[in-house]
Amino acid sequence: MFFLSLKWILTELKLQEALKKVEEYDNKDDANGGPYVNEIYDYTKYLEHAYAVKPRFLDGHKEVSHKMRTILVDWIVQVHQRFKLQNETLHLTVAIMDRYLSKVQDLPRKEMQMIGLTSMLLASKYEGTHQKYGFS
């Protein structure tokens, strides 16, 4: 038990040191926000909580179920692996899809795959542009 808590403390210290290095680098680099990096991180965290998708956002849908979303996400993962996209693209794809599904109530079942594909296209375009200009 003592060994596990000691290991956890050491891991936590390493994580804090790594975060300090990232913050120092971001503070020096104008492309990453420079001196405003802490405010940018705080605002991003605020937006993440302010616009979070509600836990049971599919409950109001008539034709779309949680199982259908699961099947769609599995298919998106397969496409993601097939085209060797970045991990960020996969996460952004699911986030875009979930936000859309949480806003639209009357969605036909036959449009689910199109929504997943459109979400992936948007995420790929964003990540592709993001990488193109060296902001990785």
Side-chain angles (χ1 to χ4, degrees), residues 69-87:
R69 182 196 172 272
T70 303
I71 293 169
L72 180 61
V73 170
D74 288 343
W75 177 77
I76 288 172
V77 169
Q78 290 175 1
V79 173
H80 171 265
Q81 290 172 343
R82 171 80 170 103
F83 289 104
K84 298 179 179 138
L85 301 174
Q86 300 173 358
N87 288 337

Side-chain angles (χ1 to χ4, degrees), residues 1 5 8 11 17 21-24 31 33 35 37 40 45 51 58-59 65 69 81 84 88 94-96 119 125 133:
M1 186 72 165
S5 62
W8 180 82
T11 304
E17 289 175 15
K21 287 181 184 178
V22 169
E23 287 177 1
E24 288 173 9
V37 71
I40 292 169
K45 289 176 188 175
Y51 296 106
L58 288 177
D59 285 349
S65 67
R69 182 196 172 272
Q81 290 172 343
K84 298 179 179 138
E88 292 85 359
V94 175
I96 291 169
S119 300
K125 294 298 273 183
Y133 295 108

Side-chain angles (χ1 to χ4, degrees), residues 114-125:
M114 181 184 66
I115 290 167
L117 189 61
T118 304
S119 300
M120 183 172 280
L121 174 67
L122 291 172
S124 297
K125 294 298 273 183

Side-chain angles (χ1 to χ4, degrees), residues 20-42 135:
K20 282 184 182 181
K21 287 181 184 178
V22 169
E23 287 177 1
E24 288 173 9
Y25 175 77
D26 286 348
N27 281 328
K28 293 177 186 173
D29 188 12
D30 287 337
N32 289 328
Y36 306 107
V37 71
N38 291 331
E39 288 86 2
I40 292 169
Y41 285 148
D42 290 341
F135 293 107

Side-chain angles (χ1 to χ4, degrees), residues 8-22:
W8 180 82
I9 290 171
L10 291 174
T11 304
E12 190 69 26
L13 290 174
K14 287 180 184 178
L15 179 63
Q16 288 177 359
E17 289 175 15
L19 286 174
K20 282 184 182 181
K21 287 181 184 178
V22 169

